[in-house]
Amino acid sequence: MNKTLKLSAAAALTLALAACGSGNDNGAATSGASGDAGVKKTTVTMGFWGTAQDLKTYQEAANTISAQYPNIELKIKQYPSSDQFWNALPGEIAAQVAPDFIKISNEGAYEYIQKGLFTPLDELVASTKVDMSIFSEAVTNIWKADGKLYGVPNSSSPAMFFINEEMWKNAGLGAYPTTWDEVETAAKKLKTNDVYGITINLDPYHITNYAKSFGGGWDNGKSINSKENVQALQEIFDLYASGAAVTPKSLGYGWDGEVFANKKSAMTTGGHWYKSFLKDAAPDLNYAVVPVPKGTAQGSTMISDAYVVLKDAKNKEAALQAAYYMTNEKTQTEFLKLGNNSAVKSLSAKYFEENPEFKELKPALDYSTDFAYPADSKRFKDELVNQLESAILGGVKKSPQDILDGIQSQFKQ
């Protein structure tokens, strides 16, 4: 699934936030007396995009928040997709009807932090006395920039590599691959007239995982054309040149999960969201999950969801408290069942008990890291995808070195 945080409305969002700055105080926004004790209720709204099961879990949490925070009434607003969310948000902010806090992933969040669109939480943590020590240090650090905290961590899961078990066995293959060399050999054997050996979605999430598996990464724009990243792109080029790889766009699908669910490829990089998607889209499909294969290093991305308070939230303290409540044990356990590893240290051990299909991923928790896109994330990701699609799908004669040198020149540090 394309987990990329869509940034197409960033400029409009910046202007909308600036226009609404006068309403930016931490005073209570009350909606009248409520409850047996006549407690004044502060209405807080959370915005997110996700599945129907996600909505059910969030609504159950909203219904019980008064047990911990009797002054808060929590409303949940679901958006159909990340695109629609980020397209709608500027207008909602201008009309002063935007959510107070949102759930997003760390992929792409750095650009919004650099634009000043999110509220730094350190002072709010101190004033509300929420206990941030319950979260693992590694995932908390993902949500820090320039020494400031910007998110209440919800989950933390490494990238994954999915294999169709039936296709693998029918091809007479043995142990699952641990290196890209082994993947390439297997992909050629798995290729048939109707099925490709591997899906490679030309999307920044997937490309970054190839880069990290060769010891590379973007380092916020400082190392785009590193030799490790060149090696990673060469691996992608080689897999396509072998005829065993396919991109979803070539088959008319929107993302890699659809290709895998429709049994059009035997392998793909992906993430924990595959579990809930495949449960509905392909309930009879048996699959194995292993860490992202090794190139020259053992590496992959760590994707983390967090709750982020918007710059112009009407009551920032209440928004932070509501966000923090979403990390309660019951809510977190429900998400564990869907494949999300909890950011709460005491619950993370349950992850592999609830998701035995992900047990091979345990070592990846120690070496998976943040995406570290440049601050101008949207432009970087668009350029990376456009260049790769032009070369792989459009026949433009550019080598991985040419592509990355060209992109690096646009993001000089």
Side-chain angles (χ1 to χ4, degrees):
M1 185 177 188
N2 182 358
K3 293 286 289 182
T4 304
L5 184 64
K6 302 298 184 183
L7 306 175
S8 58
L13 183 56
T14 304
L15 293 173
L17 283 167
C20 298
S22 60
N24 182 19
D25 65 63
N26 288 339
T30 60
S31 57
S34 180
D36 295 337
V39 176
K40 283 280 189 178
K41 291 281 190 179
T42 296
T43 300
V44 174
T45 302
M46 170 190 156
F48 85 104
W49 60 89
T51 67
Q53 181 59 50
D54 292 341
L55 176 61
K56 180 175 181 292
T57 301
Y58 281 132
Q59 192 57 58
E60 289 174 351
N63 293 342
T64 59
I65 192 172
S66 61
Q68 183 168 340
Y69 296 112
N71 62 308
I72 294 176
E73 178 185 8
L74 180 57
K75 294 185 177 180
I76 309 298
K77 183 172 184 178
Q78 182 185 24
Y79 296 78
S81 70
S82 60
D83 276 336
Q84 288 169 286
F85 173 78
W86 291 109
N87 288 335
L89 196 62
E92 292 181 348
I93 291 173
Q96 298 185 5
V97 293
D100 297 290
F101 73 100
I102 57 177
K103 188 186 79 168
I104 61 172
S105 86
N106 59 316
E107 188 188 4
Y110 184 67
E111 176 165 353
Y112 283 97
I113 291 171
Q114 292 298 302
K115 290 179 180 294
L117 306 184
F118 300 150
T119 301
L121 301 180
D122 302 270
E123 292 183 6
L124 294 175
V125 167
S127 63
T128 58
K129 295 181 171 58
V130 299
D131 183 10
M132 294 298 295
S133 69
I134 69 172
F135 305 108
S136 72
E137 183 177 2
V139 71
T140 300
N141 286 339
I142 283 178
W143 287 99
K144 288 183 178 180
D146 301 323
K148 296 179 181 179
L149 178 68
Y150 285 92
V152 177
N154 176 62
S155 67
S156 180
S157 300
M160 304 175 180
F161 193 73
F162 286 75
I163 301 167
N164 183 305
E165 286 187 321
E166 182 180 358
M167 292 179 184
W168 189 269
K169 291 175 181 176
N170 289 344
L173 297 167
Y176 293 127
T178 60
T179 69
W180 287 118
D181 286 343
E182 293 171 358
V183 168
E184 186 169 351
T185 298
K188 293 174 182 177
K189 292 183 179 180
L190 290 161
K191 175 73 171 70
T192 69
N193 291 335
D194 301 318
V195 177
Y196 286 85
I198 184 171
T199 303
I200 305 177
N201 194 347
L202 300 181
D203 168 271
Y205 171 82
H206 301 274
I207 298 164
T208 303
N209 277 295
Y210 279 83
K212 286 185 177 288
S213 73
F214 282 86
W218 315 118
D219 194 18
N220 298 129
K222 298 174 185 176
S223 61
I224 294 172
N225 63 342
S226 69
K227 65 178 183 180
E228 293 85 2
N229 292 341
V230 171
Q231 285 180 288
L233 260 62
Q234 188 61 58
E235 179 62 37
I236 293 173
F237 275 50
D238 290 346
L239 282 164
Y240 273 102
S242 75
V246 69
T247 184
K249 183 179 288 189
S250 299
L251 297 178
Y253 290 109
W255 67 290
D256 42 282
E258 290 179 307
V259 180
F260 192 73
N262 283 281
K263 301 180 180 180
K264 295 299 182 182
S265 76
M267 300 180 289
T268 183
T269 47
H272 64 82
W273 51 91
Y274 265 60
K275 179 173 180 175
S276 56
F277 171 73
L278 292 174
K279 181 179 179 181
D280 294 330
D284 297 328
L285 191 155
N286 294 319
Y287 57 87
V289 187
V290 297
V292 171
K294 180 179 178 181
T296 59
Q298 200 77 68
S300 58
T301 60
M302 180 71 78
I303 193 147
S304 172
D305 288 333
Y307 303 106
V308 176
V309 177
L310 289 179
K311 178 174 177 275
D312 283 348
K314 298 179 182 67
N315 186 320
K316 292 183 173 65
E317 288 193 349
L320 175 61
Q321 290 171 322
Y324 185 74
Y325 183 73
M326 288 302 189
T327 66
N328 69 78
E329 183 172 353
K330 185 178 186 299
T331 302
Q332 289 283 291
T333 300
E334 289 302 311
F335 283 120
L336 280 174
K337 295 175 182 177
L338 300 177
N340 297 340
N341 181 34
S342 178
V344 178
K345 290 182 290 188
S346 62
L347 298 177
S348 186
K350 294 183 179 180
Y351 179 58
F352 298 106
E353 295 175 11
E354 292 284 354
N355 303 278
E357 63 269 58
F358 294 159
K359 64 182 179 181
E360 299 298 324
L361 275 297
K362 191 172 183 179
L365 291 172
D366 295 328
Y367 60 72
S368 297
T369 53
D370 194 24
F371 293 86
Y373 295 135
D376 194 350
S377 300
K378 178 182 178 352
R379 186 164 65 89
F380 166 73
K381 291 187 286 186
D382 285 349
E383 186 65 16
L384 182 63
V385 171
N386 289 339
Q387 291 290 335
L388 281 174
E389 287 188 345
S390 294
I392 292 173
L393 304 180
V396 174
K397 300 299 183 182
K398 281 189 178 181
S399 70
Q401 187 74 64
D402 294 335
I403 289 172
L404 294 180
D405 283 346
I407 297 174
Q408 183 71 79
S409 69
Q410 301 177 50
F411 293 87
K412 293 178 180 178
Q413 295 294 310

